[in-house]
Amino acid sequence: MPSLSTNSQLQQLANLELLAKQVVEGFITGLHQSPFHGFSVEFAEHRLYNNGESVKNIDWKLMARTDRLYVKQFEEETNLRSYLLLDTSSSMNYPDKGMSKMQFSVYAIASLMYLFKKQRDAFGLCFFSDKVDWLSRARSTSTHLYYLFAELERMYEQPKANNQTDIAGVLHHIAEDVHQRSMIILFSDMLENGMDAQKSEALFSALQHLKHNKHEIVIFNVSDHQKELAFDFGNQPHHFIDLESGEELRVHPNEIRNSYLNSLSTWRKELQLKCAQYHIDLIDANIHNGFDKVLKAYLVKRNKMM
């Protein structure tokens, strides 16, 4: 678990709304100034003007800033329903210094929820480990947003030791519990299934269950690329601890690097192949690369669904 001893970390976590607002507004500004500014980015307050429609609702001030025609969008224009699933197993607390996978996921989810609120999309939140630990309904109100921010903070501040994962069981639960067609957005390191063929098949069966129920799925595969994907631990012996099982191993990284990388590569290729087969968006989310890729992946998926 990353240390929350510094004032800056405590302040950031206690002000998820402010952090999310900064991330989203910076992203929107960059999007409007980039080659992507015209690819149907429909925020709740505005959408791109369509030729031939009435000009009475054009936002001329926004047009002056962006050189694009946007129409003001109103409350009754309802949109999408999304559920954000956060893997709270102990492996998500790696690394224990700096930005952890859990901290990255919490910030990314807070930013997505802020974006959902701007679009007046309904959104729900789920925490899971080896079962569904907590699941909210999907709503689009400001009160709901602040409630979920508070739940994110509470979850983050009360980690559980040796907390294991059962992604397949959780996805089956969500498939049965969420009845309306929704976007299911999963944040996980996806490490539970990497070395076990039986668990892998169970995961793919659960993904099929969600797709059969007409849900759209986005998986953010959260990782520390330097340590977990490149296995860059230097040239000295290390003491490795499995955060979920507590199992310990003292070994020189060079002795196991090749076998580790081969196994990881095989699992990641299998996951990519299955996601492509099921038309599931699999996004590689490096915890050191910021949140723009997360927000852009969501918008691309949303635009396809609307």
Side-chain angles (χ1 to χ4, degrees):
M1 186 73 177
S3 171
L4 295 179
S5 60
T6 67
N7 290 334
S8 61
Q9 287 173 312
L10 284 169
Q11 186 175 3
Q12 281 187 325
L13 194 58
N15 291 278
L16 278 180
E17 180 188 7
L18 177 59
L19 183 142
K21 180 179 180 181
Q22 290 174 340
V23 169
V24 171
E25 293 187 351
F27 170 73
I28 292 172
T29 299
L31 203 60
H32 283 161
Q33 295 172 349
S34 78
F36 294 95
H37 68 284
F39 82 119
S40 300
V41 184
E42 297 185 4
F43 302 103
E45 291 84 355
H46 300 93
R47 61 174 172 77
L48 285 171
Y49 171 78
N50 294 315
N51 289 333
E53 67 178 303
S54 172
V55 298
K56 67 178 182 178
N57 293 322
I58 289 178
D59 189 330
W60 298 106
K61 291 182 179 178
L62 185 59
M63 185 268 182
R65 294 200 306 270
T66 65
D67 199 30
R68 306 280 297 181
L69 290 177
Y70 287 91
V71 176
K72 294 179 181 178
Q73 192 164 297
F74 297 97
E75 192 72 43
E76 61 269 17
E77 298 185 53
T78 57
N79 295 304
L80 188 67
R81 180 181 305 271
S82 299
Y83 283 87
L84 294 147
L85 279 52
L86 174 59
D87 181 352
T88 63
S89 61
S90 298
S91 66
M92 291 289 285
N93 295 324
Y94 181 83
D96 60 358
K97 295 181 180 179
M99 178 77 74
S100 70
K101 291 181 286 188
M102 181 70 73
Q103 190 173 14
F104 174 91
S105 299
V106 166
Y107 289 172
I109 286 172
S111 300
L112 282 171
M113 291 195 304
Y114 187 87
L115 182 57
F116 296 159
K117 179 62 182 64
K118 285 183 69 68
Q119 296 172 299
R120 295 190 178 92
D121 290 342
F123 50 94
L125 179 63
C126 172
F127 302 142
F128 73 90
S129 49
D130 58 347
K131 65 183 185 307
V132 172
D133 297 312
W134 186 82
L135 174 64
S136 80
R137 296 296 90 189
R139 297 184 175 88
S140 58
T141 65
S142 295
T143 300
H144 185 59
L145 176 65
Y146 301 142
Y147 169 57
L148 296 189
F149 280 161
E151 290 298 325
L152 274 173
E153 292 175 11
R154 184 177 298 113
M155 180 282 305
Y156 187 88
E157 292 168 353
Q158 298 175 353
K160 298 177 182 178
N162 298 334
N163 209 18
Q164 299 191 26
T165 322
D166 179 11
I167 301 176
V170 168
L171 294 184
H172 282 301
H173 181 114
I174 296 297
E176 294 296 332
D177 195 76
V178 176
H179 302 294
Q180 292 177 287
R181 181 173 182 261
S182 304
M183 186 189 300
I184 307 299
I185 304 174
L186 172 64
F187 281 83
S188 174
D189 53 21
M190 306 301 291
L191 291 179
E192 174 213 9
N193 307 281
M195 309 298 175
D196 189 322
Q198 184 175 358
K199 286 185 176 181
S200 297
E201 287 304 315
L203 171 63
F204 300 141
S205 173
L207 291 172
Q208 282 183 305
H209 190 180
L210 282 170
K211 293 294 292 186
H212 178 76
N213 289 7
K214 309 303 182 184
H215 298 301
E216 293 295 327
I217 308 168
V218 180
I219 299 174
F220 288 105
N221 191 359
V222 184
S223 63
D224 179 337
H225 277 204
Q226 181 182 2
K227 298 299 185 183
E228 294 181 312
L229 268 61
F231 205 68
D232 182 7
F233 285 95
N235 191 29
Q236 62 276 347
H238 277 67
H239 181 198
F240 293 98
I241 302 175
D242 187 320
L243 294 175
E244 296 192 8
S245 68
E247 182 180 353
E248 300 185 22
L249 177 67
R250 296 180 184 275
V251 66
H252 197 294
N254 289 343
E255 295 177 358
I256 61 172
R257 180 175 287 110
N258 287 341
S259 60
Y260 169 86
L261 292 177
N262 288 337
S263 296
L264 183 64
S265 176
T266 299
W267 161 238
R268 286 172 65 86
K269 288 178 180 177
E270 183 181 11
L271 182 61
Q272 290 167 1
L273 181 63
K274 290 292 186 180
C275 285
Q277 179 182 339
Y278 301 154
H279 303 288
I280 292 169
D281 289 25
L282 177 64
I283 312 299
D284 191 25
N286 183 357
I287 62 175
H288 302 297
N289 282 356
F291 307 104
D292 280 10
K293 188 175 183 179
V294 171
L295 298 178
K296 189 174 292 183
Y298 157 73
L299 285 175
V300 169
K301 187 69 168 183
R302 182 183 187 274
N303 288 334
K304 291 178 181 178
M305 293 179 63
M306 298 300 290

